[in-house]
Amino acid sequence: MRRLLGTLFLAATSLSAYEYALKPVRVTSDVHCFFGKPEIMDKTNNGNIVNSCYIDAGEGYVVVDTGPSYAYAESAYKAMKKIKSLPVKLVINTHIHDDHWLGNNYFTEQGIRVLGTDDFKVSADMSEPTRMQTYITPQAYAKTKPTLPTEMISDDMNLTIGNQKLELKIAKHKAHTAKDMMVYLPKSNVVIAADLVFNDRLPSVRGGDINGWIAALDDVDGLKAAHVVGGHGNRTDKDAARMTREYFTQMRSEIRAAIAEGLSIDETTKKVTMDQYKKYKLYEGTHRQNVEASYRVLEWE
C-alpha cells in the first residue's frame, strides 16, 4: 500500500510540475521577452512556439501574452523573478489564438487583471477542447483552465502602470485575426506587435485578411519604433516586420495578376509559389493555405 501511494504521489506531482525551462531575452532595460521555436505545436515543444513579454513598470510587471499553458506562464514568471522579483500588475492578451492566452489562469487565480479585446466574446470557442489540450502533453497542459480576459475593450486605450505608459492599439481591420492588438511603449520606443509580425517562419493568414494585415503593418511602421517584437520569431530590431510585409505585398500583387489573367484558385496556388520564401520555417504547410485564403479575399475586389 505504501508503495502504491508513493507511485500515485509521484504521478500527481509529475502532472503538476512540468518545467519549460524558459530563458528571458533582454530587448531593452525594461522589456524582456521569451521567444518560442519556429515550429507547429507538438508533444516535444509543448506549445513553446510563441513569444511573450514582460515589461518592467517599476512597481511591477506588465505581461503581454501568457503562452500555451499554466505551466508556461508559471515558468516564465519564475524566470523573470530571477531578474527582478516584482509582482505582476497587469496581463494583456493580444488576440484570440490559444497559444497566446492559455496561461491566463495562472494569473487570474492570483486576482490579477487580464485585458484583451472584445473579440474574445465572439471568437473564442470555450465549448471545444483547445488546440493545446489536443497537441501537447498532459503534463505540460496540467492545471490549465481556459480563462478569458477579465476586461475586454473594443477600441484603443492608453493607460499608465507604474512608470510605463502603455498605448494599446487595435488593428482597424481584420488582419491576422478579427481584432489584433499591439502594445506600444513610448518610454523605451518598443512595439510588441504580436502576431501582426512574424520572422524566422512564415506568417499564416488563414482566418485573416491580407489587405487588413498589410494596413496594420502600415500602423506598425508608422510608430517608428526602435524595437519591433513579433508573435513568432527572434528578430526585434526596427526592421523586424519587413519579412511579413514583403511576403504579403508580393503575394497580393501576384494573386491580383493571376486573377486578372483569369486563373482559378487552384491554378493560382500552383503559380504563386514565391520560391525565395522556401528557406523560412513552415513554408510547406503554410504558403499554399495563405495563397488560397488571400485569393478568396482578393477575387471580390
Side-chain angles (χ1 to χ4, degrees):
M1 177 61 73
R2 185 177 297 173
R3 180 178 297 175
L4 176 60
L5 289 174
T7 301
L8 291 173
F9 173 78
L10 288 173
T13 301
S14 66
L15 282 174
S16 62
Y18 183 84
E19 177 57 62
Y20 278 85
L22 299 173
K23 296 180 179 180
V25 176
R26 183 185 186 275
V27 178
T28 67
S29 60
D30 50 6
V31 178
H32 286 76
C33 297
F34 299 89
F35 295 95
K37 300 174 181 179
E39 301 171 350
I40 296 295
M41 67 205 77
D42 59 29
K43 289 179 170 57
T44 300
N45 59 45
N46 279 316
N48 183 18
I49 61 169
V50 63
N51 299 345
S52 63
C53 295
Y54 275 68
I55 302 161
D56 182 348
E59 66 182 34
Y61 288 122
V62 177
V63 179
V64 182
D65 287 338
T66 60
S69 67
Y70 181 104
Y72 178 100
E74 184 176 36
S75 294
Y77 184 45
K78 184 187 299 183
M80 285 305 302
K81 286 196 293 185
K82 292 179 181 178
I83 294 175
K84 188 183 290 188
S85 186
L86 295 174
V88 172
K89 293 294 185 178
L90 175 69
V91 171
I92 297 170
N93 295 158
T94 59
H95 64 288
I96 62 152
H97 288 164
D98 64 3
D99 50 334
H100 291 262
W101 61 270
L102 279 175
N104 280 1
N105 71 299
Y106 173 74
F107 298 103
T108 58
E109 289 172 9
Q110 301 174 58
I112 297 167
R113 174 187 177 201
V114 179
L115 192 151
T117 76
D118 58 0
D119 187 39
F120 278 89
K121 296 178 183 177
V122 177
S123 303
D125 186 355
M126 305 296 282
S127 65
E128 297 291 332
T130 66
R131 295 180 302 165
M132 295 300 157
Q133 188 173 0
T134 303
Y135 291 111
I136 72 176
T137 65
Q139 291 83 2
Y141 196 77
K143 299 175 74 172
T144 303
K145 299 175 184 176
T147 303
L148 296 181
T150 58
E151 181 179 342
M152 302 186 199
I153 61 174
S154 57
D155 296 303
D156 294 356
M157 172 186 283
N158 294 337
L159 65 161
T160 300
I161 305 292
N163 60 22
Q164 291 282 356
K165 179 182 178 184
L166 308 173
E167 297 182 11
L168 311 184
K169 299 178 181 295
I170 299 174
K172 299 179 182 67
H173 307 283
K174 184 178 184 180
H176 180 61
T177 66
K179 282 195 174 182
D180 296 284
M181 185 194 299
M182 57 183 169
V183 181
Y184 178 59
L185 308 171
K187 178 184 174 184
S188 51
N189 200 19
V190 172
V191 60
I192 301 171
D195 277 12
L196 292 173
V197 172
F198 284 58
N199 45 75
D200 300 331
R201 55 156 288 190
L202 282 194
S204 172
V205 75
R206 183 177 59 178
D209 186 299
I210 190 171
N211 287 329
W213 199 327
I214 292 172
L217 291 171
D218 289 340
D219 294 335
V220 172
D221 291 347
L223 293 170
K224 300 187 183 303
H227 298 277
V228 178
V229 183
H232 299 270
N234 292 288
R235 189 172 175 180
T236 63
D237 63 281
K238 64 183 179 63
D239 295 320
R242 178 181 294 172
M243 187 277 282
T244 306
R245 170 184 286 285
E246 291 179 349
Y247 174 70
F248 281 132
T249 299
Q250 179 182 340
M251 179 183 293
R252 182 169 66 177
S253 177
E254 292 193 19
I255 293 173
R256 281 174 171 167
I259 291 170
E261 191 180 337
L263 298 186
S264 68
I265 189 169
D266 187 56
E267 291 169 328
T268 300
T269 57
K270 291 176 181 177
K271 182 175 183 178
V272 182
T273 57
M274 298 170 60
D275 290 352
Q276 72 270 37
Y277 289 94
K278 288 182 177 180
K279 64 184 179 181
Y280 289 100
K281 300 288 187 180
L282 306 186
Y283 173 92
E284 293 299 330
T286 303
H287 178 72
R288 181 184 176 92
Q289 293 178 346
N290 286 341
V291 175
E292 290 177 351
S294 298
Y295 184 102
R296 293 189 175 95
V297 170
L298 297 171
E299 67 177 329
W300 297 106
E301 290 184 325

